[in-house]
Amino acid sequence: MKDKGKDLEKFARKMSKEISGRVEERALMKRYTSFRIGGICELMVFPKNREDLALVVEMCENQGLAWKILGRGSNLLVSDQGVDEVLINLQEGFKGVESGGKGLVKAEAGVRLAHLVKLCQDEGLSGLEFCAGIPGTVGGGLKMNAGAEGSEIKKVVTRVEFHRYPEGVYSRRQKELRFEYRSLELREREIILGAEFELRESDPREIRARILEYLRSRRQTQPIQWPSAGSVFKNPPGKYAGKIIEELGLKGHRSGDAQISELHANFIINRGRAKATQVLELIELIREKALREKGIRLETEIEVIGRENG
Ligand SMILES: Cc1cc2nc3c(=O)[nH]c(=O)nc-3n(C[C@H](O)[C@H](O)[C@H](O)COP(=O)(O)OP(=O)(O)OC[C@H]3O[C@@H](n4cnc5c(N)ncnc54)[C@H](O)[C@@H]3O)c2cc1C
């Protein structure tokens, strides 16, 4: 174990020298997730550009280290025991956005959805307003096929650019991609570099009004003042997970500082020092009760990552 730690330190030093981006050892995952939960990630890397990213992936592959892309961590529950994988964070290098006229907007994977929404509003481009209030990145939004207000990312994206080890960079048109409810199927090792969106020209004041209305509705229906990872479960076909959980009488139920929200039962909130184990306990309780009392199998929308608790 000690040797493994030493090897990783050496690897981190080597990576620091070879890339122009930043390397963070023993990153505290609480700081990188909207849940404010999670142990330590031994190595988090922030590639500055595509060359850096290709090098980071190649070095991890050569070293036999598993890696994973991290967006804003707004759909993740990270183990209290931390993460073994090297986490590759695109938020410091992949921040480019450009509007190319005729309603086309290109954004890199690390761009915050909130930033993209604002830019589109200012440019008078409509179609992404539903992303207002979704606290993720373009990459995470695409991977999750983020959606709200009856829309989803797959409806406005026209092309996605990828990097995949070892073949490099390529792009695919929307039609060639397999989007589903809250997911985009990626091949193993496939990284989203950015995407192109096709939007409609519209009056910025109307766009702004829609955004404000969506944000107002979120404030009223979601516990956004507390750390969370958004909806915990996917809605089963034709039903709402929140309503099911409410009918099970679980609103407000707690395990330590983790609580099933009183406002929106499909949110679990962190009231201070919640542990991943406590959130998982609530998830299990909901699942088990939904199956036993209603015959419904609830599937999680949030992704649980990291070392097994034990
Ligand atoms: C208060 C709140 C409200 C929310 N509301 C909504 C909502 O209305 N609708 C909705 O759909 N979601 C919602 N979410 C969930 C979440 O914000 C979205 O799923 C978001 O798209 C996740 O983006 P992220 O950048 O945080 O991704 P992360 O959580 O960091 O990652 C999610 C997954 O995407 C992968 N990934 C990220 N970037 C890349 C990349 N560049 N290439 C390949 N894989 C990548 C990660 O490896 C991981 O598997 C909400 C969350 C919160 C906390």
Side-chain angles (χ1 to χ4, degrees):
M1 192 68 194
K2 230 177 180 176
D3 283 352
K4 202 176 154 201
K6 284 233 162 65
D7 283 354
L8 205 59
E9 274 174 34
K10 223 167 116 188
F11 179 72
R13 277 201 300 276
K14 187 164 175 238
M15 187 166 291
S16 271
K17 281 191 191 136
E18 300 217 2
I19 67 169
S20 41
R22 184 165 78 81
V23 171
E24 185 175 332
E25 287 179 71
R26 297 184 62 75
L28 206 52
M29 289 307 293
K30 275 184 202 315
R31 292 185 48 220
Y32 290 100
T33 56
S34 57
F35 238 143
R36 301 279 171 257
I37 292 177
I40 278 165
C41 161
E42 299 300 336
L43 198 56
M44 193 180 290
V45 190
F46 300 77
K48 261 268 155 66
N49 49 44
R50 291 179 177 202
E51 292 71 38
D52 258 10
L53 176 64
L55 192 56
V56 169
V57 172
E58 192 183 331
M59 285 178 74
C60 290
E61 294 284 338
N62 289 341
Q63 188 79 11
L65 289 173
W67 55 269
K68 182 176 174 67
I69 303 291
L70 176 70
R72 292 198 83 215
S74 65
N75 199 54
L76 299 179
L77 175 63
V78 179
S79 161
D80 305 315
Q81 309 301 318
V83 191
D84 270 328
E85 290 116 312
V86 173
L87 290 183
I88 304 177
N89 190 322
L90 302 185
Q91 285 192 84
E92 291 185 5
F94 291 75
K95 295 198 294 195
V97 198
E98 60 177 298
S99 126
K102 295 190 184 152
L104 290 183
V105 172
K106 278 188 184 172
E108 288 191 295
V111 171
R112 285 191 301 126
L113 288 169
H115 180 65
L116 183 60
V117 167
K118 175 75 172 64
L119 179 119
C120 292
Q121 176 202 302
D122 293 347
E123 300 261 329
L125 296 173
S126 172
L128 276 166
E129 294 92 307
F130 73 90
C131 284
I134 304 182
T137 58
V138 166
L142 283 158
K143 171 66 187 97
M144 295 310 302
N145 185 20
E149 305 292 346
S151 197
E152 49 191 352
I153 277 224
K154 83 166 199 199
K155 291 191 182 165
V156 278
V157 69
T158 47
R159 183 176 282 278
V160 178
E161 208 172 4
F162 299 96
H163 170 89
R164 182 166 188 260
Y165 177 83
E167 60 254 56
V169 174
Y170 53 91
S171 73
R172 288 198 201 291
R173 283 178 294 144
Q174 200 270 6
K175 282 195 191 111
E176 300 168 296
L177 299 169
R178 293 177 64 150
F179 281 107
E180 280 170 32
Y181 169 52
R182 296 297 169 267
S183 108
L184 162 63
E185 197 179 294
L186 293 185
R187 291 190 293 157
E188 212 188 328
R189 298 189 171 90
E190 213 163 30
I191 300 173
I192 298 162
L193 293 174
E196 183 181 82
F197 300 92
E198 193 173 272
L199 305 165
R200 295 178 310 277
E201 291 191 359
S202 180
D203 182 347
R205 281 168 305 183
E206 282 173 23
I207 297 174
R208 186 172 147 76
R210 252 191 310 277
I211 291 171
L212 290 178
E213 174 52 27
Y214 292 165
L215 291 175
R216 189 193 59 79
S217 142
R218 263 181 203 272
R219 277 197 301 275
Q220 280 182 352
T221 57
Q222 300 180 357
I224 54 172
Q225 69 277 33
W226 295 102
S228 80
S231 294
V232 174
F233 296 99
K234 291 181 182 172
N235 289 323
K239 297 192 169 70
Y240 289 104
K243 187 150 185 291
I244 294 167
I245 301 166
E246 194 174 336
E247 286 167 4
L248 293 171
L250 289 173
K251 260 187 168 180
H253 198 90
R254 281 177 87 139
S255 168
D257 269 356
Q259 183 180 35
I260 300 169
S261 163
E262 308 256 14
L263 189 60
H264 191 317
N266 198 19
F267 275 58
I268 293 179
I269 56 171
N270 175 2
R271 298 189 64 103
R273 291 163 176 248
K275 300 269 173 230
T277 44
Q278 293 165 340
V279 176
L280 288 170
E281 204 177 289
L282 294 178
I283 289 177
E284 265 328 295
L285 173 74
I286 295 168
R287 269 190 147 142
E288 196 261 324
K289 227 172 170 234
L291 188 60
R292 186 160 35 89
E293 294 183 19
K294 288 182 174 280
I296 297 172
R297 272 179 210 284
L298 286 175
E299 207 187 309
T300 45
E301 179 172 321
I302 60 172
E303 189 181 335
V304 183
I305 67 163
R307 299 181 183 119
E308 295 239 334
N309 287 292

